[in-house]
Structure formats: structure tokens, C-alpha cells
Amino acid sequence: MTVTTTGPDPEDLTARARIRDAAMQHFGEHGFERATIRGIAETAGVSSGLVRHHFGSKQALREACDAYLARMIRRLNDDVRSGDALHKGNPVATAKAAMGPYQQYLARALAEGSAETVFDEMVELSEQWLADLDKTRSDLPDVDRKTRATVGTAMALAIAVLHKHVSRGMGVDLFSPEGDLLLARTLIDIYSHPMLSLDDAADVRAVLDRIQAEQTKTDRGATLRRPEEHPHD
């Protein structure tokens, strides 16, 4: 008698999830280089062989962790874009509840220069938001959309990386319910009240344009003054 299956064994999926979560715990606490397959396996309650069976290598395991977070961020973003999250409560608290267990992992990974998949996913999602917002702008953007999305993503993620400093400055634990509310109110205020008026921004852009033109002129002059090279001298 032949037995057919339609997907992975549910127990394997459970083990895979435990391994993934244990990996993010170890990577967050010890860093990628110091974390070990054996330590991750012990925390997950499985053998080192099963870790390698599911993920192959420590690098592949980290990539799986990043892919999982990227999918989670996309789901949260989809909820916000659909309007569901805004009507269910504080979106900051909702995101913290989902991402909280992985906060240390993400902060350390970003500081170590990894988590490219997560960062790039957030940039792509930010571009989608900007594409909609650009349609209603009365002034033309000064830089391309991806650049703006990249800088905006870096600024948003800095809160997680610098959470201890942010908590001290806010006077409340960033990861507490009070911190959720204060951060949400602060972000709303910042995004709804730009620090520069359109006229002020135009004045600053004019200065930057002049600096760029002067720099271009200087660079061209340096090129013209460069002595000719004589390869036979």
C-alpha cells in the first residue's frame, strides 16, 4: 500500500519553527560568529543533525530567520495598508507584539551588517507607500524614490537598534505599553508636521544646487589642469 502526503510533516514544521526561534535567540544574544549549531539545537530541544537536516548550515539558518522576519513585516504592512490594523488598535503595539521576541536578533543583525533581506523588504514596502504619497505631492521629489525609502527605513530601524537610548530620552521603557503609546503619538506628530515648509525646503535645495554646481566646476577644472601623462618618460 502506497501512502501519499500533501505536504511536510506537521511535527517537522514545529521542529523547524523551534529551531528558527532558538537560532534568533542565540544570534541575538551571542552574535552570528559566536553562536553554535550545538547551542541552538540544545535550546530547540533537537539534535544538531536535525538542525542541519532542516537548514544545512548556520548561514542558511540565518537566511531562513531573515526570510521569516521579512514575511512577517510584509503581513504587518499589508494589514496597515488595508486599514485593518488602524481599526484594531495601536499599530505600534501590534507590531511590537509580533516582532518583540525577535527584537534583539534584528537589532544585533543590523548592527553587524546582516539582515539584508529584512532591510530590503522594508525598503520595497516603503517605496510602495511613497508611490501613493507622491501622487498627491504639490512639489516634485528632489531625489529618487528608492533613495528616500532607503533612508526612511534606516531611520525607522534605528529606533530598534538604539532602543536603550530612545527609552532614556523618552523617559519611559520603549517596549512597555506606555512606550507603545508614546512612540505611536510621537511618530504621528512627526509624520503629520514636517519640520520644513515648502518655501524653506526650496531655499535649502537652492543652496545645495549651488554647492553641487561649484563642486562640478572645481572637478572639471582639476581635470583640465591635470598634466598629460607620458608613458615613455
Side-chain angles (χ1 to χ4, degrees):
M1 178 179 178
T2 302
V3 178
T4 59
T5 58
T6 58
D9 188 301
E11 186 175 350
D12 286 343
L13 290 176
T14 301
R16 184 180 177 90
R18 291 205 312 271
I19 294 168
R20 181 198 65 222
D21 288 351
M24 283 195 268
Q25 177 184 333
H26 279 253
F27 292 152
E29 292 177 356
H30 308 295
F32 178 75
E33 295 299 331
R34 293 177 58 196
T36 65
I37 291 291
R38 177 180 296 180
I40 292 169
E42 290 178 354
T43 298
V46 301
S47 67
S48 298
L50 188 60
V51 175
R52 296 189 183 280
H53 167 74
H54 278 294
F55 298 98
S57 67
K58 190 168 71 168
Q59 175 60 32
L61 178 52
R62 177 167 68 175
E63 291 172 359
C65 293
D66 290 346
Y68 173 75
L69 290 183
R71 290 194 301 271
M72 180 184 295
I73 289 170
R74 179 169 285 276
R75 286 197 300 270
L76 291 170
N77 178 79
D78 290 345
D79 284 344
V80 174
R81 287 184 68 86
S82 68
D84 290 343
L86 295 177
H87 297 292
K88 292 178 180 177
N90 182 354
V92 170
T94 300
K96 191 196 77 172
M99 298 292 294
Y102 314 114
Q103 193 69 51
Q104 186 176 14
Y105 166 78
L106 183 57
R108 185 150 193 164
L110 290 168
E112 291 179 344
S114 59
E116 294 94 340
T117 301
V118 179
F119 187 89
D120 292 347
E121 177 73 13
M122 292 185 67
V123 170
E124 182 178 338
L125 296 175
S126 295
E127 286 188 81
Q128 295 173 11
W129 283 94
L130 290 174
D132 292 338
L133 294 172
D134 286 349
K135 297 175 183 178
T136 62
R137 285 186 59 162
S138 59
D139 61 324
L140 293 176
D142 192 42
V143 292
D144 65 273
R145 189 175 296 146
K146 185 171 184 178
T147 297
R148 288 180 285 142
T150 299
V151 173
T153 296
M155 294 170 66
L157 287 171
I159 294 177
V161 177
L162 302 174
H163 65 91
K164 291 184 179 179
H165 300 291
V166 176
S167 295
R168 188 178 65 253
M170 290 170 54
V172 62
D173 182 1
L174 183 63
F175 298 140
S176 68
E178 294 80 9
D180 290 339
L181 287 171
L182 182 56
L183 178 59
R185 291 183 181 279
T186 302
L187 292 174
I188 290 171
D189 191 80
I190 290 174
Y191 287 131
S192 62
H193 296 83
M195 297 182 181
L196 291 177
S197 67
L198 292 180
D199 290 340
D200 290 338
D203 291 341
V204 176
R205 287 195 186 98
V207 173
L208 295 177
D209 289 343
R210 185 171 67 251
I211 293 173
Q212 185 174 12
E214 292 173 352
Q215 183 62 53
T216 300
K217 182 178 180 181
T218 299
D219 292 343
R220 288 176 179 172
T223 300
L224 292 174
R225 291 193 301 272
R226 185 177 302 159
E228 294 183 3
E229 297 182 0
H230 302 285
H232 300 294
D233 288 353

